[in-house]
Amino acid sequence: MATVWRLLKRHGWSWQAPARRALERDEHAVELWKKEVWPHVKGSLRHVTAGSSSRTRPASP
């Protein structure tokens, strides 16, 4: 990651962050999403198992 930063800096780019939150932000909707939707999204991640990425060769035991 440090290499990317050096490359950007060399070309005159700088790290930018928003000065303030969006005026349209609905805090209640954000909190509701965090409580109701995020747990389902977070819990649906697939578990990684050992295998082959090749479609023609099966995974070895």
Side-chain angles (χ1 to χ4, degrees):
M1 194 64 143
T3 305
V4 173
W5 172 244
R6 275 187 255 144
L7 179 65
L8 292 173
K9 192 172 180 180
R10 183 182 319 145
H11 291 284
W13 290 53
S14 65
W15 180 77
Q16 297 178 7
R20 56 188 166 79
R21 289 196 184 263
L23 295 174
E24 301 86 13
R25 184 176 170 103
D26 183 355
E27 294 295 334
H28 177 69
V30 171
E31 289 302 318
L32 189 63
W33 186 89
K34 282 185 198 177
K35 288 178 184 174
E36 294 184 6
V37 178
W38 177 241
H40 298 292
V41 173
K42 185 177 177 185
S44 68
L45 296 176
R46 294 182 338 167
H47 295 288
V48 178
T49 59
S52 174
S53 62
S54 172
R55 292 183 180 185
T56 58
R57 183 175 35 182
S60 57

